[in-house]
Amino acid sequence: MKLNRLILAAVAALFVQSSYAQQPYGGCWHPDDIKNWSPETDKDAKFNRSRVPLAKRFKEPTLMKANQNQYYEGQICNAPILFPTCSMCPSQGAYNFLGYQPTYWQYMDKLVYWAGSASEGIIIPPPAGSIDAAHQSGVKVLGQVFFPPYAFGGNQVWVRQMLTKENGVYIYAKKLYEIAKYIGFDGWFINEETGGGSESEWVGFIKEFNKIADENGDTHMEIQWYNAKSYPNVTILKSHKNTSQFLEYGSPGDYRSYASQLGCTEAETFSKIYGGVQVAANGHTGFEGDLQSAMPTSGHVGSLDLFCPEEKTWKGNYSGRYAVLIL
């Protein structure tokens, strides 16, 4: 009887190990990992693909305004951590509560998958399930390219690799488009906190990405830029009509005066310049005056980028319940 139990235990262990081995995961790469990327060579690619097209966003100013100070030009970009370890994010969900899926799509216009680390990977496409859910509500989804500060393992080698040109082409801009196109999301958030690349190089990189996207009919694709600066980078923002910027935390406000410099209308500045709100550390009001600066009682004057709004709500509740469960 004991021998039978041992045999059953051994078989069960092998089954569990085999199940884990077959679990597909989302992409979490360094530049070397994607230089020759293709769906044919990525065994998990077919599991990470979203096929839900980006729906047209419903807006009816005369019928749907919540109050007289609501303006549809104002944008909300949400930047949550959808899974705590990007290299172990299951392709199609999992039987646990580690992943986070927003349910308030009607209150956001864009979603940035906040992910990446020096040790795991710095190029991370968003989970297919999140793309599906976002696209059903007309919400754009951006993957992450994270160049971390030196204190968190930043390495200028990765920046220089990303800005590699061959035969006059930024080869990684082309590769980022190919990944976004195949997986089915709408562009990338470039978090450049390492340094090592010039402004002109990044402008060229962004232009290359959007040139390829536009030529292939993906005129909605965009790059959102962040480099911990509290003022709009006009040169970066002018690189393409869809380019946007996440301003440093504590920078919400009225940026419509930049319209003439950017060659766009005042209404278009709302989808290009977002004041960052540090929700993870400061709660939904951010730093003192953040929300009031973007949404004074006289009207909605700016757009917001919310950094990890799930930290103070979902994760706070989840961690408390999880602690009870493990006790």
Side-chain angles (χ1 to χ4, degrees):
M1 183 64 73
K2 288 184 178 180
L3 179 60
N4 289 339
R5 288 180 178 175
L6 287 173
I7 292 173
L8 287 172
V11 171
L14 287 172
F15 176 77
V16 170
Q17 185 176 6
S18 174
S19 297
Y20 277 114
Q22 295 175 28
Q23 167 68 57
Y25 294 100
C28 187
W29 306 302
H30 289 95
D32 280 341
D33 300 323
I34 68 164
K35 186 174 183 180
N36 299 307
W37 180 92
S38 75
E40 289 74 28
T41 58
D42 182 348
K43 63 181 176 61
D44 290 342
K46 62 184 178 182
F47 301 107
N48 292 318
R49 197 173 193 186
S50 169
R51 297 181 183 274
V52 178
L54 179 64
K56 185 177 180 180
R57 188 76 167 176
F58 175 76
K59 293 182 179 180
E60 178 46 69
T62 59
L63 298 178
M64 299 294 291
K65 287 184 68 169
N67 57 62
Q68 62 179 358
N69 297 321
Q70 182 181 7
Y71 293 87
Y72 277 104
E73 294 88 347
Q75 301 271 302
I76 296 293
C77 181
N78 195 18
I81 298 173
L82 300 175
F83 203 82
T85 52
C86 59
S87 61
M88 296 296 289
C89 179
S91 296
Q92 297 293 330
Y95 291 111
N96 58 49
F97 294 97
L98 296 178
Y100 172 71
Q101 180 75 295
T103 57
Y104 45 93
W105 300 106
Q106 69 272 32
Y107 297 117
M108 68 180 98
D109 300 273
K110 296 174 187 174
L111 176 77
V112 170
Y113 178 24
W114 200 272
S117 68
S119 59
E120 289 185 283
I122 64 169
I123 304 164
I124 310 95
S130 297
I131 303 171
D132 289 346
H135 278 185
Q136 288 172 358
S137 297
V139 176
K140 276 189 174 183
V141 186
L142 307 182
Q144 180 92 196
V145 181
F146 177 43
F147 297 106
Y150 285 110
F152 295 97
N155 188 337
Q156 286 192 0
V157 169
W158 296 328
V159 177
R160 296 314 314 163
Q161 284 178 313
M162 188 64 67
L163 293 171
T164 298
K165 293 180 77 172
E166 292 183 4
N167 300 319
V169 175
Y170 286 95
I171 58 173
Y172 283 99
K174 182 174 183 291
K175 192 57 65 175
L176 289 183
Y177 167 74
E178 291 173 359
I179 292 170
K181 175 67 173 179
Y182 178 82
I183 292 178
F185 58 99
D186 311 296
W188 295 88
F189 179 91
I190 299 179
N191 185 346
E192 216 299 63
E193 297 185 76
T194 301
S198 68
E199 185 177 82
S200 61
E201 286 178 303
W202 281 116
V203 167
F205 184 95
I206 295 169
K207 284 183 175 180
E208 190 84 60
F209 174 88
N210 283 111
K211 175 177 179 289
I212 297 168
D214 289 346
E215 288 174 348
N216 284 277
D218 296 304
T219 56
H220 67 289
M221 283 199 177
E222 77 170 82
I223 297 288
Q224 186 166 112
W225 175 260
Y226 173 81
N227 63 341
K229 296 295 189 293
S230 58
Y231 53 87
N233 186 316
V234 173
T235 307
I236 291 286
L237 287 170
K238 288 179 69 175
S239 58
H240 188 269
K241 62 183 178 63
N242 292 346
T243 307
S244 57
Q245 184 177 355
F246 182 147
L247 301 182
E248 181 57 301
Y249 310 124
S251 302
D254 187 347
Y255 293 95
R256 288 176 291 182
S257 62
Y258 278 82
S260 59
Q261 296 179 62
L262 297 176
C264 66
T265 66
E266 287 191 358
E268 288 170 336
T269 61
F270 284 90
S271 61
K272 294 182 72 67
I273 304 173
Y274 296 79
V277 181
Q278 225 300 12
V279 181
N282 297 80
H284 285 82
T285 57
F287 292 106
E288 185 176 356
D290 274 1
L291 297 188
Q292 290 85 351
S293 297
M295 294 179 285
T297 56
S298 58
H300 189 151
V301 298
S303 294
L304 300 174
D305 239 312
L306 306 179
F307 175 65
C308 297
E310 81 286 356
E311 290 285 342
K312 294 292 184 180
T313 53
W314 181 84
K315 285 185 180 176
N317 293 329
Y318 160 72
S319 61
R321 293 176 182 178
Y322 183 70
V324 173
L325 287 173
I326 63 174
L327 289 175

